[in-house]
Amino acid sequence: AQLMSFMDDLTITVQHSEVNEVVASALQVIEDSGFRVNVGKSAVICAAERFDARDLQLPTVSPDEEFEMLGANITHNFDTFNKGQIAKIDSFFRVLGKCDLHPQLEWTLLRLCGFPKLVYYTATTPPQYSCGVLQHFERCVAQHAEKLIGASIHPVMLHDVHGAGFPHYTRVAGELYEKSLTTAIHRAKAIPQVRLTTNEPSFAASLRAQHDAPFLFYSRGSPAANITPKQFIIALAIRLRTLPKE
């Protein structure tokens, strides 16, 4: 048996003929150690279904059913899982839209709280299943950004590192997933870098871009934290190569 664990999550892979014996042994060892397996969150998954499940002490799950582990679905059924992801996205933008905030704070929340959530999802979901969710997310981002500054924004400027600098998940989904999968299979210490934005500049140019636009992030006590809502909107519109309608 091959054992892989992360915190309190345990995954065991065995031959079909050894499933019942290994499950019974693992449950007994865990119980003898003073722990109890959450049967409702545990399952035996086998694509071939070539084992006798009559005396099995855990439920079985077919690859055609959804099963979530470490926040990722590991079967071929993504319908319910993806609906849950879209519901989370809609909830985030609904709440953010109701907040009466300085636009600089709202923009900061969009960048820090909105975008990181999709990195793990994209890295652990095959692109043929993640595409719809990623498209929905990027569409919500574009609509929210345009509403925030009251102007139309060219898609290129949303993902350009010298523009909004938002990750272009639909563009890098395949690369991010493949590198993450390869890293997991070979147990590499680090995932190879994947450029999430377009027109990635040199390190020095990136530093200059951030230095020239400190207003993009709210930082208490900094000079950029004292700009008015109108000043922020105009500055952001200029950076995104557009003009507010009013």
Side-chain angles (χ1 to χ4, degrees):
Q2 183 179 22
L3 281 73
M4 296 167 284
S5 62
F6 181 78
M7 304 297 287
D8 61 340
D9 285 277
L10 178 67
T11 300
I12 307 175
T13 57
V14 296
Q15 297 295 325
H16 307 92
S17 59
E18 301 170 341
V19 172
N20 295 62
E21 179 184 357
V22 170
V23 167
S25 177
L27 293 177
Q28 187 61 54
V29 169
I30 292 172
E31 184 177 335
D32 292 344
S33 300
F35 298 96
R36 180 171 55 87
V37 172
N38 188 332
V39 177
K41 290 186 177 181
S42 304
V44 175
I45 301 177
C46 178
E49 297 182 358
R50 291 179 294 181
F51 62 93
D52 187 356
R54 287 177 296 180
D55 298 324
L56 197 62
Q57 299 179 50
L58 292 177
T60 60
V61 173
S62 165
D64 296 326
E65 301 175 68
E66 178 192 340
F67 188 80
E68 188 175 335
M69 185 173 70
L70 293 176
N73 181 54
I74 60 174
T75 65
H76 305 310
N77 188 336
F78 281 82
D79 292 342
T80 303
F81 184 73
N82 280 345
K83 287 179 181 178
Q85 298 302 313
I86 290 177
K88 292 178 182 178
I89 292 171
D90 290 342
S91 177
F92 171 78
F93 283 100
R94 183 169 56 253
V95 172
L96 186 62
K98 290 181 178 180
C99 295
D100 184 16
L101 297 171
H102 189 297
Q104 187 186 35
L105 282 171
E106 192 172 336
W107 188 261
T108 301
L109 287 173
L110 179 61
R111 297 189 74 181
L112 296 184
C113 300
F115 275 91
K117 294 177 181 291
L118 271 294
V119 175
Y120 183 75
Y121 170 80
T122 308
T124 56
T125 305
Q128 64 266 34
Y129 299 117
S130 67
C131 183
V133 174
L134 300 177
Q135 288 176 342
H136 178 74
F137 180 76
E138 292 183 352
R139 187 162 51 246
C140 289
V141 169
Q143 292 172 351
H144 192 90
E146 291 184 346
K147 181 180 178 181
L148 181 67
I149 66 175
S152 299
I153 304 173
H154 194 284
V156 171
M157 297 312 301
L158 286 174
H159 306 295
D160 192 293
V161 73
H162 290 137
F166 292 147
H168 200 341
Y169 287 118
T170 54
R171 182 182 65 88
V172 301
E175 182 185 5
L176 191 59
Y177 175 75
E178 288 300 328
K179 287 189 176 181
S180 175
L181 182 63
T182 302
T183 301
I185 292 176
H186 296 286
R187 298 186 179 185
K189 294 182 179 180
I191 298 178
Q193 182 181 6
V194 176
R195 293 179 175 178
L196 302 181
T197 55
T198 55
N199 296 333
E200 192 76 19
S202 66
F203 180 67
S206 179
L207 288 179
R208 287 197 300 271
Q210 291 302 312
H211 177 73
D212 293 339
F215 67 92
L216 290 178
F217 283 101
Y218 175 80
S219 179
R220 185 178 180 182
S222 69
N226 298 321
I227 63 176
T228 67
K230 193 67 174 179
Q231 287 173 331
F232 173 79
I233 289 174
I234 293 175
L236 183 58
I238 292 172
R239 182 177 176 85
L240 298 179
R241 309 295 191 270
T242 186
L243 288 174
K245 298 176 181 178
E246 296 182 1

